Amino acid sequence: MRHAIAALTILAAPASADAAELIVYSPDYFASEWGPGPKIEEGFEAICACDLKFVTGDVLPRLLLEGDRTEADVVIGLNSDVTKRARESGLFTPHGQDLSGLTMPVNWSDDIFLPFNWSQTAFVYDGTRLENPPGSFQELLDAPDDLKIVIQDPRSSISGLALLLWVKSVFGDESEDAWRKLRPKVLTVTPGWSESYGLFTDGEADMVLSYTTSPAYHIGAEQDASKRAIIFPEGHYFMVELAAQLKGTDQPELAQSFLDYVVSEDFQSMIAEANWSYPANLPRDMLPAYFAALPRPEKTLFLDEDAAEAARRPALDEWLSVFAE
Amino acid sequence: MAQRLRGINPVGPLAAILLIVLVLGTLGAVALHAGGLSGLNSWDWRAVWFTIWQAVVSATVSVLLAVPVARALARRSFPGRHVLITLLGAPFILPVIVAIMGLVSVFGRSGAVNEALSALGLPPVSIYGWQGVILAHVFFNLPLSVRMILHGWQAIPSERFRLAQSLGFNPVDIARHLERPMLREIAPGAWLAVFLVCLTSFAVALALGGGPKATTVELAIYQAFRFDFDMGKAAALGLIQVGLCLVALLLSSRVTIMAGFGTGMGRGTLITAPRGWYLWTDLLAILLAAAFLLVPMVSVILQGAPSIATLPATVWSAALRSIVMALISTGATLVLALALSLAVAQGQRWIEAAGMLPIVASPLVLGTGLYLMLRGLASPTQLALPVTVGINAAMALPFALRIMIPAARSLHADYGRLAASLGMTGLARLRLLTLPRLARPIGFAGGLAAALAMGDLGVITLFADSENATLPLRLYQLMNSYRMADAAACAVLLMAISFALFWLFDRGGRLNAEI
């Protein structure tokens, strides 16, 4: 077995020289070759004289397991739905950034969690396959049951959880009825976003629960303008991804300058086409033209972490009871 | 006492203890971290019931469908029979995500089956819901049951069939006197094997589940871990999984399962097959099974093949890394399986149960437990690849044991006394007797282990390493960044490598089996 481990370490990429190391925890998609991670690493290492190292996995569960012993200096890619739990862990320290210029549709004044990109939940459809998509959430509920959508499971997916909060924000006390109307149109509930999206692009479903920025990928990378997000007048649920500095970091200056970098123009201008979402600190006119031209909702819905945490359990129980009937 | 102990090799028991520590120790570590087990709510219990229910149904359907297919394959000879038997085993080694892609393209809303039905003016069939989970499980496990039952057929001595012929038995008499008693002996074992596999169903199969009605224990564990941060509940659910499987194991421990799952099964005289409409039903059984198992795979190939040439270099390097890792973990699986099966053959039954434990372990609990146990030793990123290899080696072990134990038993019964009287022990015995005699099951078990390791995602939630990703992880990364066409190509590559590894080992085992 020892030989095996030696053989495996040869397979791993060589570590760079003894520069100061900044360890950044992130979700796997973020640091993958097709995510923003590699560009960010390159950009930051050009100015920091350090070695930025992404450590990927389930960020928050891992931090909670590690507690004070964590190696992480910074985390990036936390979602606003889990910040309450993250804050209560007491592992984080204020980011010290000026939030007054943020380009987001909601006011953000959190001194611990720093937003770097955002999007909104939306149903995405293919114009070549669906000619008359429903024009509002209510129309979607009232649509014939042969209109098929795929959604994600709120118990295992962030976007699935966002749908629960979205429905709660739009329909309030009527949410159970809304679910009951939506249920026959739900082709299947997948554990994660990628399985859903794959079913949609395979032509299995007419619409998929995704983001208002999803069509940008098809336009920008595939020159295909047929995939569109429907904009509902009832509003769309806001989702934001955050970075934060660990209290116990052994590289406080480096961690601080990384957070400076996160809201810098260099970093922010990569986000659109590297993460297919809106940068949190970049004016709209600095986006690629097609990206800036994406339709945006008039109305943004968002529950702060206390409200989201309070709503989560009852909303989940409601959803479960309707879908398990 | 010393005399008795000398015959017993300590390697087997040690390996068994290692496995018990791996499966139950990790569970304990998670529970300890949580400060105990938490109670389950009504949804968790529903998940437990659904898991049991779908495993029972999947196993029953798999075995019932396998009987006519196995009978047809056993009593008919035709060109390409061996190749077909090998190919029919392929779905069992497919990565889950790839299998789902294939099933959807055939049975999905816009799949071939529904296109044909609507052309005929018939209502569509839906694969979303509990029936989708069952369909996926039957797709995975029908090959396993066919092989096991086929072996049962071929284990009926051909002399019996000759005697039956001379007595003028018709097919009904043969079924009553020969085939049904054999099935009574073999089918329960096959059923239990499939039941065990389905009990720890992978979350991906849930993509077809339709919603919360089809929640398995594995998803409940994921939820407890990922969203509720309730390690105590994750451990409690993991314990339930282990408990369910141990009960099933106790039931199955009296049944000998699987030998020579490989292709070289056409030895001995072929059973004289009845003619007339029996021929047509056999043909139909073989054709239907081949269509059900092979068309989804062909469809995955057709979808993904066009983009293979343009796959990025990192996919190829991940493929290489995965191959090396699969080979290392296969080596470990085979060493462990050999030690354990020889010990079981010498009569240590408890070792068999220990060897089956990994089949019941939740990968998530296993990963978290290992993480908690190892965190003082090295950083999880450094451990990502070794841990993935180790877990893959353990996960493939139950299947390897199922294949090797019967062979080891007959080896012990046939040659044990001769070897003892010659004083043949240690390496000489291994080189001259054990390895040549067991080459075939070792080759087959190795093929299975390599393919399973190739397709496994590993425990990425805590031990991920993006820079040194395995091929299945690259596949998910592609899917997560909208690149569905590349992901389809990556799936073809993964499938091709898995099958090639399987074939090489299986073939290698047969090449050396000259005795």
Side-chain angles (χ1 to χ4, degrees), chain A residues 89-101:
Chain A
S89 72
L91 293 169
F92 300 96
T93 190
H95 53 67
Q97 302 294 325
D98 173 18
L99 302 174
S100 59

Side-chain angles (χ1 to χ4, degrees), chain B residues 252-258 340-350 352 401-416 438:
Chain B
S252 71
S253 65
R254 320 207 0 208
V255 187
T256 307
I257 296 185
M258 277 214 299
L340 290 168
S341 55
L342 291 175
V344 170
Q346 288 175 342
Q348 300 180 55
R349 303 293 316 237
W350 66 277
E352 190 172 355
L401 282 178
R402 283 276 176 240
I403 296 156
M404 285 166 66
I405 284 173
R409 279 205 177 108
S410 53
L411 176 81
H412 188 74
D414 299 346
Y415 296 91
L438 294 183

Side-chain angles (χ1 to χ4, degrees), chain B residues 497-512:
Chain B
I497 296 175
S498 297
F499 195 71
L501 283 172
F502 171 74
W503 185 82
L504 281 172
F505 273 91
D506 193 29
R507 184 95 194 102
R510 290 207 305 277
L511 282 183
N512 296 324

Side-chain angles (χ1 to χ4, degrees), chain A residues 33 58 66 69 188 204 214, chain B residues 109 128 226 314 371 375:
Chain A
E33 179 191 359
D58 251 342
E66 289 172 340
R69 290 193 284 179
T188 189
E204 275 293 290
S214 298
Chain B
R109 250 181 103 221
Y128 300 101
R226 179 93 182 58
T314 43
Y371 178 84
R375 64 181 173 182

Side-chain angles (χ1 to χ4, degrees), chain A residues 121-124 149-153 157 159-164 166 193 196-197 200 207-211 214:
Chain A
T121 51
F123 286 98
V124 172
I149 64 173
V150 270
I151 62 173
Q152 293 100 58
D153 196 318
S157 143
S159 44
L161 181 58
L163 176 65
L164 287 194
W166 187 14
W193 172 90
S196 281
Y197 211 82
F200 165 68
M207 291 160 51
V208 58
L209 171 70
S210 190
Y211 305 102
S214 298

Side-chain angles (χ1 to χ4, degrees), chain A residues 10 28 30 41 46 105 178 205 223 229 246 307 318:
Chain A
I10 293 168
D28 181 67
F30 190 89
E41 183 171 353
Q223 290 73 49
L246 273 290
E318 182 178 86

